[in-house]
Amino acid sequence: MKKLITIVCVAILTLPLNRTAGQSSGVSSSLGYAFNDATQEFIVQSQGKEMSKEEEEKLLKSLSPEIKAKLEDVKKLNKDKYYQLLRESSSLSYYFQSSLAERYTTGKALSVYEEVSKERNEKIKKQKELEIDVELYVLKLKNADNANQALLKKDLQSALGQLFDIRESQKQEEVKQLEKRLQELKESLQARKQNKDEIIQRRIQELLGNSKYLRWE
């Protein structure tokens, strides 16, 4: 548990939180990617490890009734898969809210946290429900008779279609943020090119130790 908190803390602290309001969507996306990376690292490290009853109950508390019900169906068919999905579903939502939120009670970090939570919670919930649906349909298909296989395959195809759309939407948002960042870099390069002489003179003053005379105050 402590290891996951450490992983997520590092992921957050390595991101630039002091952005302006106009850049909040970029911060949201960056935090989202950091969360996903932290989750995957934690899941990999947890693979094959036993889960105590106490840990299981604690993780379940952070989940919605809908996800709990789906996971219960998975548990009946494959306990190892159930533990894996439970960790994936609960890790960030539980640990970030219960541990990290207490550390960021004021200031910009809290506002970013609240914004990210508001924007991403519903999307994350829907995506996780679909991922569990996919795993559940696959498990059921492996044990289904011929009469039920066609219906289960149809349900599996539908869930995968919705999951595909969500993932493509995320990729489109990532492309949008990359394009925005590229435009900012182009504008910065143009501005620096136009002010080359001034920038060089300021650097000379810095190197000579005279930069204090160029300060506003």
Side-chain angles (χ1 to χ4, degrees), residues 19 47 113 141 180 216:
R19 300 292 187 91
Q47 289 288 356
Y113 163 72
L141 270 168
K180 180 180 179 181
W216 183 261

Side-chain angles (χ1 to χ4, degrees), residues 60-188:
L60 285 170
K61 286 181 180 179
S62 67
L63 302 179
S64 66
E66 295 83 1
I67 291 182
K68 286 181 183 178
K70 294 176 187 292
L71 286 174
E72 188 61 34
D73 289 338
V74 173
K75 187 177 183 179
K76 296 174 183 177
L77 298 170
N78 188 315
K79 187 169 288 188
D80 289 338
K81 179 61 67 174
Y82 162 75
Y83 288 140
Q84 177 189 338
L85 293 173
L86 177 57
R87 285 190 171 104
E88 291 176 357
S89 302
S90 309
S91 55
L92 288 180
S93 61
Y94 176 80
Y95 288 109
F96 189 74
Q97 291 173 10
S98 63
S99 300
L100 296 181
E102 295 175 359
R103 303 185 183 191
Y104 299 113
T105 55
T106 59
K108 189 67 176 180
L110 177 60
S111 64
V112 171
Y113 163 72
E114 291 175 340
E115 181 181 354
V116 170
S117 296
K118 183 178 180 180
E119 291 177 354
R120 292 183 59 84
N121 275 352
E122 286 303 316
K123 292 181 180 179
I124 290 174
K125 178 183 175 183
K126 181 62 176 178
Q127 180 177 342
K128 184 50 59 181
E129 287 181 352
L130 287 169
E131 289 173 351
I132 294 173
D133 284 341
V134 167
E135 295 290 351
L136 184 56
Y137 292 142
V138 170
L139 290 172
K140 287 183 176 180
L141 270 168
K142 291 179 178 179
N143 298 282
D145 53 32
N146 293 333
N148 292 320
Q149 282 188 358
L151 180 59
L152 286 170
K153 285 182 179 179
K154 184 177 180 180
D155 291 337
L156 176 60
Q157 182 175 348
S158 175
L160 286 172
Q162 295 178 66
L163 193 56
F164 178 87
D165 291 340
I166 290 176
R167 291 180 179 275
E168 289 304 296
S169 176
Q170 292 172 343
K171 291 180 183 296
Q172 289 174 2
E173 179 62 25
E174 184 177 359
V175 169
K176 181 180 178 181
Q177 294 303 324
L178 289 172
E179 290 176 342
K180 180 180 179 181
R181 177 58 179 156
L182 179 59
Q183 182 60 34
E184 290 173 350
L185 287 172
K186 287 181 178 179
E187 292 174 358
S188 175

